[in-house]
Amino acid sequence: MPDPSNLLLFVAALTAVYLLPGPDMAQVIASASLQGVRHGLMAGLGLALSRTLHVTLSALGLAALFHAHPLLFDLVRWLGAAYLLFLAWKMCRAGAGERPAPGAGAGAGWAALKRGFLTNLLNPKALMFCALLLPQFISASQELAGQYLLLGTILVGLGLLFDGLYALAAARLARRLAAGPVPRLPRLLFSGVFGFAALRLAWGGQ
């Protein structure tokens, strides 16, 4: 069992990271703003699944592959940037008369989950973050699997909590913006956010 003070420091570090704007936050906010709270929560669930996978890969030591093979890191990074650009293009391409569809059905919910999952999965920096952060709070004198399980659960659970709060806030704000003079503004805004995130990921280096 990690020291309680270390756990508090771990939670504080995660909180700081989850408060920073990025493609994950943009994905949740965009889904909630354009399609309702449920879809924002589904996008958050997709992010949680991807974070769970990243924690598992980090525990297995597979993140070292990216460090040992920079070309592999760059390949995944460019795939992630291309996917974010695709989302930006798709959102910008939506017609001005198109309206959000809060009741779009289960299919759209699963699509939001898939977008959240892929957004995080195709960001190799998310895996490297887990690989660099988690060992700082792992004690070599204690059982490693249990510590990774606890810290990984906190990482995923806290992220899901923040994503839920972002989804609720974004959906409420979207209802106000929808009645404004530029109803397409949220689409254009998030299209720009995804485009910026793609450029940042592609040229951000390691």
Side-chain angles (χ1 to χ4, degrees):
M1 181 72 179
D3 184 84
S5 61
N6 282 340
L7 283 180
L8 288 177
L9 183 59
F10 180 67
V11 170
L14 289 176
T15 299
V17 170
Y18 288 137
L19 286 174
L20 291 175
D24 290 356
M25 183 191 295
Q27 184 61 252
V28 171
I29 294 177
S31 296
S33 298
L34 303 177
Q35 296 182 299
V37 174
R38 178 176 176 272
H39 293 82
L41 294 177
M42 289 295 284
L45 181 58
L47 292 170
L49 293 174
S50 181
R51 288 168 186 151
T52 301
L53 181 58
H54 280 154
V55 170
T56 303
L57 293 176
S58 174
L60 294 174
L62 295 184
L65 284 175
F66 283 146
H67 184 73
H69 301 282
L71 289 179
L72 179 61
F73 180 94
D74 288 337
L75 175 62
V76 177
R77 182 162 57 91
W78 280 93
L79 285 175
Y83 181 68
L84 291 174
L85 284 176
F86 167 74
L87 292 179
W89 171 80
K90 189 175 181 181
M91 194 170 295
C92 187
R93 183 173 174 269
E98 187 176 345
R99 291 290 184 269
W110 284 111
L113 185 148
K114 182 177 70 173
R115 288 195 301 270
F117 181 79
L118 290 177
T119 296
N120 188 266
L121 183 68
L122 294 177
N123 183 357
K125 294 182 180 181
L127 175 57
M128 297 302 291
F129 169 75
C130 290
L132 293 174
L133 179 68
L134 292 177
Q136 305 302 318
F137 298 89
I138 295 291
S139 173
S141 63
Q142 301 181 36
E143 200 237 337
L144 296 181
Q147 294 181 81
Y148 265 102
L149 179 60
L150 175 60
L151 296 179
T153 300
I154 293 174
L155 185 149
V156 174
L158 190 62
L160 192 56
L161 174 62
F162 272 95
D163 291 337
L165 293 175
Y166 292 141
L168 292 172
R172 178 174 296 183
L173 179 61
R175 286 194 293 268
R176 296 182 180 179
L177 291 177
V182 189
R184 201 187 178 201
L185 180 60
R187 291 187 181 275
L188 296 176
L189 177 62
F190 289 118
S191 177
V193 170
F194 283 127
F196 176 76
L199 295 176
R200 183 179 176 186
L201 180 59
W203 281 282
Q206 297 188 38

